[in-house]
Each structure stands twice: as C-alpha cells, then as structure tokens.
C-alpha cells in the first residue's frame, strides 16, 4: 500500500494506487479484526491506527467517485450538500474527497501538458460558486482542490529541467492565490509538499529550494505538507513497534533544522491528530515517544492545535471531538499527563477559545443573524494561512499578539521557554476567524 489517508491530513486518493471501495472496506475490516484479536494493548492500538487510516481513505475515495460521477456541470455547492447528511466524523474526509474529485473532473478536458495554466480555468471558477458554500466546508474543500492541483503540476514536471520547474512553480503559486477564496491559499500551497514527498521524492528537495527563493509562505507550507506526508509513507503504515520513533527520525532526516523542521513536525502532528481523533491514545503513544527536541518545539503543539481547530470549524458538534477534549492520560499528574496539557489540550483549547471570542465580538458588532447567530460566511474573509505554517520562537508569539487583536499594538513578545512551546500561531488565525 502506497499510503494511508486522512481527510485534511491527506487525501491519499490523490497519491495512492486506485483501490476499489470493496478492497478498502475489506482491508479496514481486517485491521479491525486484528485489533480485536491482538493480545497486547499496544498491538490493538496500532492495528486500530491502521484501520483509521484505511477508513479515512475509504470515505475520501467514495466522495471523490461521487464528484467525478456528477461531472463538472454540477455546482460545487450541490456536491457539498451530499456531505450534510453523514455522521459528523465522516464529514471532514468527505468534503476533502468532494473537493478533490470536483477539481479533477474540471481538469479532465484540459490539455495534460499545461497543468499550471489550467489552475483557474476559467479564471475564478471557485469564487463563482462561493456564495452558496457553507463556511464550515471551505478549509476541507480547499485541501482537496489543492491536492488535485499539486498532483497535476508535479506529474507534468517530473522530468522538467530546473529552469522550467522554476517557472511552473512561480505560476503555480500565483495561480493558487488567484483561485483560492480570500484567506484560503495556504491549503493549496501546502498540498505541494504533501504530493511532492509521496509522488516525486527525488525532486522534493529541489522543489523546496526553488520555493525558498520564490515565496516565503509557499516554502513554509511546503514543509508542513511534507511532514504530513511522512505519516502516510509505506514504511510507516505497518503497525510495528518503534513507529513513533521512526516518524520523528524521518522529520530530522528530511527537513532542515529551523523553520522547515518545525513545519514538518507540525504537519506530522496534524496528520496523527486528525486521523486518530476517535482514539486519542494513539497520540499519547506518539507523545510518550518524543525525543527532547520535540518537547521543546512549538511545531508539535501547533500541528495538534491546528488540527483540532479545523475539526471544530468543520463539525463543531461531533461527539468524538467532545470526547477528545475531555481525554486526559493516566495517571493524573504524571509526566504524560503534563505533556498532554502542555503540548496537546492546552494549545487546542486556546485556539478554540480564540474562535469563540472572535464570534462573540462579531455578534456584539451587529453582525448576528435573525436568530442571534453570526452568519456562516461572515467568518471567512480572513487569512487562515497560519494553520498551515509555524513561526518558531519569539516570532510565533509576536504573530499571535499582532494578528489576534489587529487593532492593538503587538507589544513585546517573550521568547518561548524550551520546555513550554510558544502559543501556536494558529491562535492568530482563530482570533480573526
């Protein structure tokens, strides 16, 4: 198997071989059977983790097939309606699959030799239907669309010389910003790192180098996507002992020290959190296995907090999300419980609190609807790019202070202490959402 899956964590339908839905369902059931039969708790947990990847992939693939069957003539908003009746846990993966399938269907008549020129063909096709799209669907849809765009770009650029790759990347970054709805370009940019690592690993470093010279945001998002992809590599799919250790080693081996590594770590944490939201002990296992440099990193906490933010944004009443927020490792007051508070629940709750405060401010400002609620789309004319990148250290704290309350001076930001990762910059996005 080339990869697992995970909705916003990674629509692996974009990168893995085409499995039939029946095959995916059979694999998922096998993983569940092995989880139930495993004599050891850790064995059960890891088989369950594999089953979670397969289930997310299955949901994504089914939605992609629905979008492709509907054809490009069916408005994206009509496709999104298909995700309204599913159980909350499935909605995130379903929306991403619909976005991916719709973008693939729109690109089908396009000449395969010119993928970049067709990013927004006709120009503004996404904006044309945006008025009918629920705000809660936008992040997941953009993630799916981004995977389609990145897949087509890199498939056409696999053997392109460096100069041509540079031109195509520049056109891609500009095209993503033109196509995306306001504030939603980052998911399209981040998908490039995800697809590059899974489908064009031999040129991933070259792509990163070109983006470093071309665009700061795209470069940071690239590493986030690459870290997300590490979770779905074939070597990390089997439920063998030592997988958490190998995942962290892969981050240090493949991402450069500094902002690149922080973003890759955030992408990895994002993937693990979203795929396993129903089973927080999977994240406990990763947390217990972290080396000291991860404990001192803002990236790990950022990825977890951003993942919970996105899940809540898409499906706030999911009972699994409520259970995840209540979860605490045993024993209470132990080292793992303290790590959970510092790196998991604390960052997530701060992001969600900032969102609630922003909605309350909008309501007080006269933007509430007839029933006292803020209209769905009033929360979306903002930049959510900080969900997909990390600004380590003092820069992160300064970004939070500046963006969360844009009307006030930022003031002096304290550098993050090594054992206490800085408040994730995603809170900045939440404060403006």
């Amino acid at each position: 198997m080339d990869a697992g899956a995970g909705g916003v964590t990674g629509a692996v339908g974009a990168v893995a071989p085409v499995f039939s839905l029946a095959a995916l369902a059979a694999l998922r059931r096998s993983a569940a059977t092995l989880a139930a039969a495993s004599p050891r708790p850790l064995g059960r947990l890891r088989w369950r983790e594999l089953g979670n990847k397969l289930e997310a992939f299955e949901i994504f693939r089914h939605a992609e097939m629905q979008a492709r069957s509907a054809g490009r003539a069916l408005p994206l908003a009509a496709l999104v309606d298909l995700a309204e009746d599913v159980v909350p846990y499935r909605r995130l993966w379903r929306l991403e699959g619909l976005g991916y399938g719709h973008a693939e269907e729109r690109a089908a008549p396009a000449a395969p030799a010119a993928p970049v020129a067709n990013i927004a063909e006709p120009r503004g096709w996404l904006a044309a239907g945006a008025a009918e799209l629920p705000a809660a669907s936008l992040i997941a849809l953009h993630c799916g669309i981004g995977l389609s765009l990145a897949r087509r770009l890199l498939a056409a650029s696999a053997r392109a010389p460096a100069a041509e790759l540079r031109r195509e990347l520049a056109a891609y970054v500009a095209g993503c910003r033109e196509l995306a709805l306001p504030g939603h370009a980052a998911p399209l940019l981040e998908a490039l790192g995800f697809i590059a690592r899974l489908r064009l690993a031999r040129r991933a470093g070259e792509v990163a180098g070109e983006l470093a010279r071309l665009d700061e945001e795209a470069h940071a998002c690239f590493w986030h996507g690459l870290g997300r992809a590490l979770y779905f590599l074939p070597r990390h799919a089997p439920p063998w002992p030592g997988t958490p250790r190998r995942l962290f080693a892969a981050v240090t081996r493949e991402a450069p020290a500094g902002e690149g590594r922080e973003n890759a770590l955030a992408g990895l944490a994002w993937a693990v959190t979203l795929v396993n939201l129903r089973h927080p002990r999977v994240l406990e296992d990763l947390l217990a296995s972290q080396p000291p440099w991860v404990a001192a990193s803002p990236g790990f906490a950022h990825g977890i907090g951003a993942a919970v933010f996105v899940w809540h944004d898409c499906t706030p009443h999911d009972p699994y999300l409520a259970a995840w927020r209540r979860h605490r490792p045993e024993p209470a007051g132990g080292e793992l419980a303290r790590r959970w508070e510092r790196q998991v629940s604390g960052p997530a709750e701060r992001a969600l609190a900032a969102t609630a405060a922003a909605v309350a401010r909008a309501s007080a400002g006269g933007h509430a609807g007839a029933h006292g609620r803020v209209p769905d789309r009033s929360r979306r004319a903002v930049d959510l790019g900080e969900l997909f990148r990390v600004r380590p250290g003092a820069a992160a704290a300064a970004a939070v202070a500046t963006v969360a309350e844009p009307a006030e001076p930022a003031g002096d930001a304290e550098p993050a202490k090594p054992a206490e990762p800085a408040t994730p910059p995603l809170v900045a996005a939440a404060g403006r959402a």
Side-chain angles (χ1 to χ4, degrees), residues 129-157:
E132 303 303 320
L133 292 173
S137 71
L138 296 184
I139 297 177
L141 287 174
H142 277 78
C143 286
I145 292 168
L147 289 166
S148 172
L149 302 180
R151 184 199 63 78
R152 285 182 270 129
L153 167 69
L154 293 174
S157 304

Side-chain angles (χ1 to χ4, degrees), residues 82-101:
L82 299 175
E84 294 301 321
D85 294 333
V86 301
V87 296
Y89 174 77
R90 301 173 65 89
R91 190 168 187 268
L92 193 66
W93 319 135
R94 190 169 177 81
L95 285 167
E96 189 182 29
L98 291 171
Y100 176 78

Side-chain angles (χ1 to χ4, degrees), residues 5-6 8-10 49 53 93 190 193-194 197-198 220-233 235-237 242-255 259-277 282-287 289-291 293-295 297-308 324 343-344 387-390:
V8 174
T9 69
E49 180 181 7
K53 291 183 182 181
W93 319 135
E190 195 259 7
F194 183 77
R197 181 58 186 86
L198 289 173
C221 288
F222 175 91
W223 287 113
H224 189 285
L226 182 140
R228 182 163 62 101
L230 293 177
Y231 186 56
F232 303 107
L233 289 178
R235 69 176 69 102
H236 299 144
T243 296
R245 176 181 52 80
R246 289 193 293 272
L247 284 169
F248 289 127
V251 171
T252 59
R253 183 173 61 251
E254 301 201 22
E259 190 171 353
R261 188 167 297 169
E262 294 293 348
N263 278 288
L265 183 62
L268 171 63
W270 162 291
V272 175
T273 302
L274 285 178
V275 169
N276 302 288
L277 193 85
V282 173
L283 186 54
E284 276 190 34
D285 186 36
L286 191 68
L287 199 65
S289 305
Q290 66 179 358
W293 73 268
V294 174
S297 162
F300 190 82
H302 179 283
I304 294 169
V308 174
W324 188 95
Q343 296 177 262
V344 177
L387 291 170
F388 297 88
R389 65 181 299 190
V390 184

Side-chain angles (χ1 to χ4, degrees), residues 2 20 22 36-37 99 106 110 149 157 160 169 206 239 248 256 317 353 386 397 404 433:
D2 272 6
S20 70
R106 291 193 64 89
L149 302 180
S157 304
L169 286 172
E206 184 181 358
F248 289 127
H317 304 299
E386 297 296 343

